[in-house]
Amino acid sequence: MGLGGISIWQLLIILAIIVLLFGTKKLRGIGSDLGGAVKGFKKAMSDEDKASSAQLTEQKQQEQQTNTTEQEKKDKDKV
């Protein structure tokens, strides 16, 4: 038994019909287009992760600067 009750032989027959209908060049083109789309999606996701982590780091630095400035003001008021 294969996937969902489909045997290996049935899958091979379906594959042969698809190759006959579309041809190998068109299937190769579809495969390369699909691969390029997946690669572009992965690149966009990694760029988004880098951008969000950089933004988070920047926000933390701004908070630290604000906290330092507030602490300096409190120290001046005590003196």
Side-chain angles (χ1 to χ4, degrees), residues 5 8 25 27 29 33 58 60 65-66 68:
I8 295 293
K25 285 186 179 182
L27 289 176
D33 289 344
E58 184 179 320
K60 285 182 181 180
Q65 288 175 351
T66 303
T68 304

Side-chain angles (χ1 to χ4, degrees), residues 18-63:
I18 290 173
V19 168
L20 287 174
L21 286 175
F22 294 107
T24 56
K25 285 186 179 182
K26 193 166 209 164
L27 289 176
R28 190 178 306 131
I30 291 171
S32 65
D33 289 344
L34 183 63
V38 169
K39 185 184 282 187
F41 179 75
K42 285 182 178 181
K43 184 176 185 272
M45 291 300 294
S46 68
D47 289 347
E48 179 69 25
D49 288 343
K50 289 177 184 176
S52 65
S53 66
Q55 186 179 17
L56 183 62
T57 303
E58 184 179 320
Q59 286 176 349
K60 285 182 181 180
Q61 288 175 349
Q62 288 176 350
E63 287 176 4

